[in-house]
Amino acid sequence: MKSIIFLFVLIIFGQACQYRNAPELDGTSFSFNSDQVSLGGILAEQLTDSMPMNSSILEHSVFSDEINHLASEIDAIKMESGSISQPVNQKWYSLQQNMVSDFEKLSVEDIKSWFTLNDTLLKYSGEVRFADELEKLAYNISSSEAISESMIKSVAYTHMYDRIYLNIFGSSVVEYQHTTGGQVRLIQDTKYPYDGSIILKLEMLDTRYLDLFIRIPEWADRASVSVKGVKYNVTAGQYTEIAKKWKNGDEVEIIIGLRPSVVKSETDRFAFQYGSLFLAYEKLTENYAPFSENDPIKYMQFVSPPGKSPTFTFNGLKGETIVLQPLVSESRSSSMRTLWIDSSF
């Protein structure tokens, strides 16, 4: 009789383990329902103020065929254990570089295809680089034809049971039912991407265990994550994990160091980024000599108030001072603007 009972317990335990572990094979995380996520702050403003893309490029797809071919290849490979093969990695990095070099020429189809590919890779592999690409699209594309509210909601937060991934920074709220019962709300309060200070507040009726994963961008050479003065390890290009019991009102303080960086193209041009933002300027009408020094950052000066849309001046061109502002400002300007500055360095 005891052996029968023991066998029955083993069967039940095995079934329980199988039920708990089976979803893990499907990926790292999944989207919340759209009605569980709300967007605010700069992201919401950008979606409200979005403009149609330049009609001259709407039908000119640059990379969508190549992106879709890679997506089909990934489906055929059926990545094992969340790992991505070296050939797929090489093709992805090549596409990423090309997408940046031709960012101003991308069509709606290019943008949607790239978003979908990185969405898939993020949720399968849990690698930060894919979330970096998604955030870049969210903050640099100001057309609802290309990037919709539902697309951003599908990736801003993802989850597996009570493991919650914060993938895109920006004022927002996600609310869901904890696996042990009871509603949990995570509220992100920030002026990101204009400011790198982020407060993530948790609201719940009772103490609940959550495993939070905070994205640390690959470009963030300075970052910190802390809870009640306790600092957690951060590494650029990885998620910082905070697994603990939380109570109502607990807060996570996140600091992402924002500073300008240089992006080079393969055609003797360079551009500036500020965190996830591309910086653009009004195209110069007169001929000018290419930038010939070694460090463009030395010729930049931050001129906007903290927390406002970042504005820089760049005086690295002889006889010219250009004003650099986020690329999305182009949708609100009638002047022709560009990311790229000719160089010979």
Side-chain angles (χ1 to χ4, degrees):
M1 182 65 179
K2 289 182 178 179
S3 61
I4 294 174
I5 294 174
F6 180 72
L7 179 61
F8 177 76
V9 170
L10 281 179
I11 293 172
I12 296 298
F13 179 77
Q15 289 177 338
C17 290
Q18 184 179 12
Y19 172 78
R20 181 179 179 184
N21 292 334
E24 303 286 346
L25 301 177
D26 295 333
T28 300
S29 63
F30 303 93
S31 297
F32 287 97
N33 293 332
S34 183
D35 59 0
Q36 293 177 281
V37 182
S38 58
L39 305 176
I42 294 164
L43 265 180
E45 291 174 10
Q46 199 163 295
L47 289 166
T48 302
D49 296 341
S50 66
M51 301 285 286
M53 290 186 70
N54 186 332
S55 59
S56 65
I57 65 172
L58 286 177
E59 298 179 359
H60 178 57
S61 173
V62 182
F63 297 112
S64 61
D65 288 345
E66 191 176 350
I67 295 168
N68 292 334
H69 179 76
L70 180 57
S72 299
E73 187 176 330
I74 290 169
D75 287 340
I77 292 173
K78 301 294 184 184
M79 295 175 290
E80 298 179 359
S81 304
S83 62
I84 301 174
S85 68
Q86 188 61 28
V88 168
N89 269 324
Q90 290 174 347
K91 291 178 182 179
W92 183 88
Y93 280 114
S94 176
L95 267 171
Q96 181 199 38
Q97 292 171 4
N98 290 336
M99 291 286 286
V100 170
S101 295
D102 289 299
F103 201 82
E104 295 167 321
K105 301 177 184 177
L106 300 180
S107 70
V108 168
E109 189 177 354
D110 291 322
I111 295 164
K112 285 184 174 180
S113 297
W114 188 237
F115 191 100
T116 300
L117 177 66
N118 284 283
D119 181 355
T120 300
L121 290 169
L122 170 67
K123 290 169 183 172
Y124 193 92
S125 70
E127 292 188 30
V128 159
R129 56 181 163 138
F130 305 122
D132 286 351
E133 289 301 301
L134 292 166
E135 185 177 89
K136 188 187 298 179
L137 292 173
Y139 280 116
N140 290 286
I141 301 296
S142 59
S143 168
S144 58
E145 295 172 279
I147 302 291
S148 67
E149 180 179 359
S150 61
M151 290 168 68
I152 297 175
K153 284 183 175 182
S154 73
V155 296
Y157 303 87
T158 56
H159 71 112
M160 172 73 81
Y161 302 120
D162 297 311
R163 297 205 307 258
I164 312 297
Y165 293 79
L166 197 171
N167 301 312
I168 293 182
F169 296 120
S171 288
S172 54
V173 178
V174 62
E175 184 170 355
Y176 85 106
Q177 184 82 6
H178 196 274
T179 54
T180 62
Q183 291 294 112
V184 175
R185 297 179 79 229
L186 283 76
I187 304 166
Q188 203 180 154
D189 184 15
T190 180
K191 292 183 179 179
Y192 188 91
Y194 299 167
D195 187 287
S197 177
I198 302 137
I199 297 294
L200 183 67
K201 184 177 180 180
L202 289 88
E203 291 185 353
M204 61 199 77
L205 291 178
D206 301 306
T207 301
R208 290 287 185 274
Y209 178 89
L210 290 177
D211 199 355
L212 298 184
F213 291 81
I214 311 298
R215 165 180 154 259
I216 308 299
E218 281 190 336
W219 48 260
D221 57 356
R222 295 176 298 124
S224 67
V225 175
S226 61
V227 179
K228 295 181 179 179
V230 177
K231 291 190 175 183
Y232 290 79
N233 290 331
V234 297
T235 302
Q238 296 184 16
Y239 285 91
T240 291
E241 181 180 4
I242 310 175
K244 66 187 293 291
K245 287 185 176 180
W246 303 84
K247 65 178 185 297
N248 186 50
D250 280 348
E251 294 182 349
V252 182
E253 182 180 1
I254 307 161
I255 304 294
I256 303 295
L258 300 178
R259 59 176 62 180
S261 60
V262 175
V263 182
K264 285 189 177 184
S265 77
E266 296 178 355
T267 56
D268 293 325
R269 302 180 304 168
F270 69 93
F272 292 105
Q273 279 188 244
Y274 182 67
S276 292
L277 295 173
F278 284 120
L279 300 177
Y281 66 98
E282 290 189 17
K283 287 185 177 180
L284 302 177
T285 55
E286 298 180 3
N287 293 329
Y288 63 91
F291 179 79
S292 58
E293 303 296 329
N294 294 322
D295 185 6
I297 300 294
K298 292 196 303 185
Y299 295 87
M300 293 183 74
Q301 183 176 357
F302 191 78
V303 295
S304 56
K308 299 296 182 181
S309 180
T311 301
F312 295 82
T313 57
F314 176 73
N315 62 359
L317 303 177
K318 292 182 179 179
E320 297 281 357
T321 297
I322 61 179
V323 178
L324 295 157
Q325 292 180 309
L327 176 64
V328 291
S329 301
E330 184 172 1
S331 64
R332 304 171 184 85
S333 172
S334 59
S335 61
M336 294 296 294
R337 302 171 76 240
T338 182
L339 303 175
W340 299 103
I341 300 172
D342 293 332
S343 71
S344 59
F345 76 94

